[in-house]
Amino acid sequence: MGEFTVLIVDDEKEIRDAIEIYLKNEKMTVIQAADGLEAIEKLNEKAIHLIILDIMMPRLDGIAATFKIREQKNIPIIMLSAKSEDTDKILGLQIGADDYMTKPFNPIELIARVKSQLRRYMTLGNYEGKSNVINLNGLTLDKEAREVAVLGEAVKLTPIEYKIVELLMSHSGRVFSIHDIYERVWQEPCYNAENTVAVHIRKIREKIEIDPKNPRYLKVVWGIGYKMEK
C-alpha cells in the first residue's frame, strides 16, 4: 500500500494527525487539509488516490466538497460524520461518497476501509483490453484518465459505477452474472447483492443511455446477467 497518497480533510488538527499516524504505519503518503477549499487545492496540486473527508467544516463543508470533487475525479471518498449528521451522511453517499464512518471511530477499522477502497479503486485497471481507450459505438472509456464519455460528452460516474462500466466494456459482448459483477467490483463475497447491482446498473443507464428503458449499450440478458453490447 506504500504507493498510495491519502488526503485527510478535517478542521480538527488532532483528528488529522491521529489518522496520519495510522496511515503512515501502512507506508502511505499523507496530505492534510483543514476544509473543503483547501482539499480541492491539494487535489489540483498532487496525485491523490483516496480522500478521508469530514462533513462539518468551515468555508466549504464535506457535502459541497464532494459535489465539486465528483465534477472532476472518481477517486474514493470516505466520509466522517457525527451521529447527528445522518441526513448529511446519506446525501453525501447519494452524490458520490463511497463509504462513511461515524465519530468517534476505531482508527484500525478506518484503515481497513481505506485499504478496501484502494483495492477496489485499483483492481480494475488490468483487464484483457490492450488499449487504454475503449470505444463502443460512441461510448468511450479512457482507463488512464478513468473517464467515460458518450458521443464526446463526459459522463460523471461514481467510482463504483465506473468500475462496473470498465469491467463490462473491457469484455464487451461477454455476459457477467450479478454474482460475478459484485465480487469483481466490490472485492468481497456476494450475498443477496441482486438489488445492489441492479440499482447501480439503473443509475449507469440513466447516465450513458439516451433512452434508459431501451438501452443501446448496457444490455440485460434475462436470467443470466448483464453485458456491454459490442
Side-chain angles (χ1 to χ4, degrees), residues 167-168 171 174-178 180-181 184 224-226:
L167 171 64
L168 298 179
H171 304 82
R174 175 176 167 182
V175 181
F176 285 85
S177 69
I178 288 175
D180 286 339
I181 292 172
R184 284 173 177 257
I224 302 178
Y226 298 95

Side-chain angles (χ1 to χ4, degrees), residues 120-134:
R120 294 173 188 175
Y121 180 59
M122 303 303 291
T123 293
L124 293 180
N126 300 310
Y127 285 109
E128 299 165 353
K130 301 301 180 182
S131 172
N132 282 329
V133 178
I134 305 171

Side-chain angles (χ1 to χ4, degrees), residues 179 182-183 186-193:
H179 182 279
Y182 188 88
E183 293 203 340
W186 276 264
Q187 292 289 294
E188 61 187 31
C190 177
Y191 298 110
N192 299 318

Side-chain angles (χ1 to χ4, degrees), residues 6-20 30-40 42 51-62 65 69 78-82 85 101-105 110:
V6 176
L7 174 61
I8 306 170
V9 190
D10 197 301
D11 59 327
E12 296 185 50
K13 188 176 186 303
E14 295 81 3
I15 292 178
R16 299 198 308 268
D17 289 343
I19 296 173
E20 178 171 348
V30 177
I31 297 174
Q32 293 191 17
D35 56 56
L37 286 179
E38 187 179 356
I40 291 170
K42 299 290 187 183
I51 305 172
I52 299 173
L53 182 66
D54 188 30
I55 289 182
M56 294 300 294
M57 295 182 294
R59 297 210 299 168
L60 191 69
D61 65 28
I69 292 166
I78 299 177
M79 280 195 154
L80 303 180
S81 69
E85 298 161 9
M101 291 195 70
T102 301
K103 295 179 179 179
F105 53 84
L110 174 61

Side-chain angles (χ1 to χ4, degrees), residues 150 155-158 161 203-209:
V150 179
V155 176
K156 298 173 185 175
L157 300 177
T158 68
E161 291 167 357
K203 290 181 178 179
I204 291 169
R205 280 178 168 163
E206 290 172 353
K207 295 177 180 181
I208 70 171
E209 303 285 359

Side-chain angles (χ1 to χ4, degrees), residues 49-51 70 74-78 98 117-118 121 159 163:
H49 300 102
L50 181 142
I51 305 172
R70 282 291 174 254
N74 285 319
I75 58 177
I77 297 174
I78 299 177
D98 299 278
Q117 289 296 333
L118 287 171
Y121 180 59
K163 291 171 188 174

